[in-house]
Amino acid sequence: MPHLPGHSADAYHACRLVEDSADTDTNNNEREKMRRTRHNQKDPSNNHNQTSRSRDKDREMIKPLTQAFVTLFDRYMPDPFVLVLLITLLVFFCGIAFEGQTPLAMLDYWQGGFWNLLSFAMQMTLILVAGFAVAKTPLFERLVDRLASIAKTPGRAIITVSLSTLIICWLNWGMGLVAGAILARQLSARVEGVDYRLLVASAYAGFITFHAGLSGSAPLLIATPGNFLEDQIGLISTTETIFGWLNIKIMIAVLIVMPLTCRLLMRGIDKPVTLNVEQTEAVIRETRSARDLRPAERLERSRTLAWISAALGAACLSLYVANGGGLNLNLVIFILIFLGLALHANVQSFLKALDDSTQGISGILIQFPFYAGIMGMMNSSGLGSSIAQFFVNISSADTLPFLSFLSAGFINIFIPSGGGQWAVQGPILAEASQSLNAYFPDVVMGFVWGDTLTNLIQPFWALPVLAIAGLKARDIMGFCAMIMIATGIAISLVLLF
């Protein structure tokens, strides 16, 4: 903002120079310094100048770095499907070169794992379409409008999306992943001048808290009786992992560092890429009156049918909770389906929202089998275990949590599934903790944060977000890489000190 010209400064200096004309040169210099100090304190435009110059310096530092990362990923990051093909070939040849496996054996491992994520792919598809349907309800749009009234500026919108997704993903990753993407999409149409790419990147970055939260697979697994590590380490309560002091410190650091980093990245953008408001809405409004509708159309628009069906879903949910059922991915999908049906208030509106949501899900359907095949090769060939063992061999009791963090981050690029990765690294880390006398809950949380950190540059989990946002991976990965570096440094410092 341009500062107001301070015309009073010249008159002030002139009067003081006349008054002090009889003084010596030394006194003049001293008084001149005092006058300048008083002038700086009285003239708010001068303070504004200093603030503006400080921001300009920050912009000069951040702008080249931001543009370099964004340009790098925009130019050289291929489509996620091409990326999964390249990773497949890399793991295939690494298994042969480093593990001594034959090509036929690697092919067998690949084909054997290829279909292991079919049910998970269906879950991801359903959570995408059901979550999108809820987001298209009048109630959710009013909620977004309320948030938009708070986040009136681009900076506030970025922080709002980042914090919201961090918190929701800690509660449940499925709900947070969809809610963050939808919130980013809706706010982009309501907040003028916000960069849509950075807004979506901020939403996806919040996914980093999921494995350290209430739906984290590894912490919940080692607290469950009958898990595959119980004979080796016993049961580890969530009070020592999810609610342990180490995880609390990391969460505090992430809640501070990540939103501020996202906000800071705005200064590196010269021309924000905005989303056309017309792109966010594609509602077909019927103009015919109710009396002109055919009986079948009246049934499709019946509020009674929608609400009775939603009531059945609510009754089923209540029974599930009363019987001690816990929160899981299937329950989240169940809630979203019947909540969407109730809030749309008729079947036709609900189906229209589902139709709008199905654009872009092809990436999920085709890529998940390939990632399952990669996981099959990593697990069966021994490649994943060898990588994990390398980091363990250079660890001590104090550094094992940190090196668990690094190894998990690296392996996650090839096995982007927390539960599947824990099956590979868990036994190795448990044995290392016992031999080094390290505190195992902290080792687990090091693994957890490493597993989630590199998700920011691994498009596997970004597929539902990108489908909702209508963007490509290369559009957000430059920002995500910078967020990953800043957040990774903060997590590393907590683990080391």
Side-chain angles (χ1 to χ4, degrees):
M1 181 183 295
H3 64 279
L4 295 174
H7 63 273
S8 60
D10 293 336
Y12 174 77
H13 288 309
C15 291
R16 295 300 298 164
L17 287 171
V18 170
E19 179 182 341
D20 296 336
S21 59
D23 292 342
T24 64
D25 292 340
T26 302
N27 290 337
N28 277 338
N29 291 335
E30 293 176 355
R31 286 173 176 151
E32 182 67 17
K33 292 179 181 179
M34 295 175 63
R35 283 193 296 272
R36 288 178 179 173
T37 301
R38 288 195 296 268
H39 170 60
N40 289 339
Q41 292 174 346
K42 291 180 179 180
D43 190 354
S45 67
N46 193 66
N47 291 332
H48 177 79
N49 283 340
Q50 293 177 354
T51 303
S52 180
R53 285 193 295 269
S54 176
R55 289 179 178 176
D56 289 341
K57 289 181 179 179
D58 291 342
R59 186 182 297 274
E60 290 175 2
M61 294 174 58
I62 297 170
K63 180 179 174 181
L65 192 61
T66 303
Q67 291 182 345
F69 272 86
V70 171
T71 301
L72 177 67
F73 280 87
D74 182 62
R75 286 177 61 86
Y76 296 106
M77 184 169 189
D79 184 88
F81 184 62
V82 175
L83 186 63
V84 74
L85 294 179
L86 293 175
I87 295 175
T88 298
L89 293 175
L90 177 63
V91 173
F92 180 83
F93 288 112
C94 284
I96 296 172
F98 298 108
E99 296 298 326
Q101 300 288 343
T102 65
L104 289 178
M106 293 300 291
L107 286 174
D108 184 57
Y109 302 149
W110 183 48
Q111 194 275 335
F114 202 80
W115 309 113
N116 289 344
L117 289 181
L118 286 183
S119 61
F120 186 56
M122 186 62 178
Q123 288 174 320
M124 293 296 287
T125 302
L126 284 174
I127 200 170
L128 189 159
V129 299
F132 192 90
V134 171
K136 301 297 290 185
T137 61
L139 178 63
F140 189 88
E141 290 181 347
R142 285 196 296 270
L143 175 62
V144 173
D145 287 335
R146 181 69 61 86
L147 288 174
S149 67
I150 300 173
K152 294 180 179 179
T153 65
R156 290 182 181 179
I158 294 293
I159 291 178
T160 298
V161 168
S162 179
L163 279 176
S164 299
T165 313
L166 283 168
I167 294 171
I168 299 174
C169 281
W170 187 87
L171 296 172
N172 181 267
W173 70 264
M175 192 174 296
L177 199 62
V178 173
I182 294 171
L183 181 60
R185 183 181 175 92
Q186 300 289 7
L187 278 181
S188 68
R190 291 166 170 81
V191 180
E192 185 178 354
V194 64
D195 189 279
Y196 185 48
R197 302 165 303 168
L198 180 56
L199 198 62
V200 174
S202 301
Y204 178 54
F207 184 62
I208 194 175
T209 58
F210 96 91
H211 208 161
L214 300 183
S215 57
S217 53
L220 295 180
L221 186 64
I222 61 176
T224 303
N227 75 81
F228 67 89
L229 290 178
E230 184 177 4
D231 293 339
Q232 187 176 358
I233 61 170
L235 295 179
I236 307 294
S237 171
T238 54
T239 58
E240 298 182 78
T241 53
I242 296 175
F243 300 102
W245 178 232
L246 176 65
N247 196 43
I248 292 174
K249 289 191 294 183
I250 294 177
M251 277 294 301
I252 292 172
V254 170
L255 286 170
I256 294 172
V257 172
M258 180 172 287
L260 292 179
T261 301
C262 295
R263 174 66 178 82
L264 194 62
L265 290 178
M266 284 183 54
R267 299 186 180 181
I269 302 172
D270 279 335
K271 297 179 181 179
V273 176
T274 58
L275 181 68
N276 192 328
V277 177
E278 295 179 357
Q279 292 177 308
T280 63
E281 298 293 340
V283 181
I284 301 174
R285 300 186 181 278
E286 296 287 347
T287 57
R288 290 185 296 168
S289 63
R291 68 179 63 183
D292 296 328
L293 297 176
R294 293 184 289 269
E297 292 176 322
R298 291 177 184 173
L299 187 61
E300 291 169 357
R301 297 189 179 192
S302 170
R303 292 179 178 268
T304 303
L305 178 61
W307 284 342
I308 289 176
S309 301
L312 288 176
C316 185
L317 177 63
S318 300
L319 183 63
Y320 175 83
V321 174
N323 291 333
L327 189 65
N328 54 50
L329 185 56
N330 287 336
L331 184 63
V332 171
I333 296 170
F334 187 89
I335 292 172
L336 289 175
I337 289 173
F338 287 98
L339 182 62
L341 195 57
L343 295 179
H344 277 282
N346 67 74
V347 176
Q348 186 188 61
S349 176
F350 181 67
L351 290 177
K352 177 62 176 65
L354 292 179
D355 287 340
D356 293 340
S357 70
T358 55
Q359 301 176 7
I361 64 173
S362 59
I364 296 175
L365 297 177
I366 194 62
Q367 290 183 51
F368 273 49
F370 281 89
Y371 276 111
I374 292 170
M375 291 169 58
M377 288 191 292
M378 289 285 291
N379 294 340
S380 300
S381 69
L383 193 59
S385 298
S386 296
I387 296 172
Q389 189 64 54
F390 167 77
F391 283 95
V392 166
N393 291 340
I394 60 174
S395 301
S396 65
D398 294 330
T399 62
L400 186 58
F402 175 66
L403 290 172
S404 170
F405 166 74
L406 293 182
S407 62
F410 181 75
I411 295 175
N412 179 65
I413 296 174
F414 306 98
I415 310 178
S417 170
Q421 187 175 341
W422 180 246
V424 175
Q425 285 192 257
I428 298 172
L429 293 176
E431 182 179 348
S433 296
Q434 291 175 332
S435 62
L436 296 174
N437 198 27
Y439 186 54
F440 189 61
D442 285 356
V443 175
V444 174
M445 297 318 295
F447 162 85
V448 160
W449 284 103
D451 169 66
T452 59
L453 182 67
T454 50
N455 282 329
L456 298 186
I457 57 170
Q458 162 54 271
F460 176 83
W461 293 103
L463 294 174
V465 176
L466 295 171
I468 292 171
L471 295 178
K472 295 184 179 296
R474 65 172 65 98
D475 294 325
I476 68 169
M477 284 299 163
F479 298 111
C480 287
M482 297 186 70
I483 297 169
M484 183 193 73
I485 292 171
T487 309
I489 292 172
I491 296 172
S492 298
L493 291 174
V494 175
L495 288 170
L496 288 172
F497 302 104

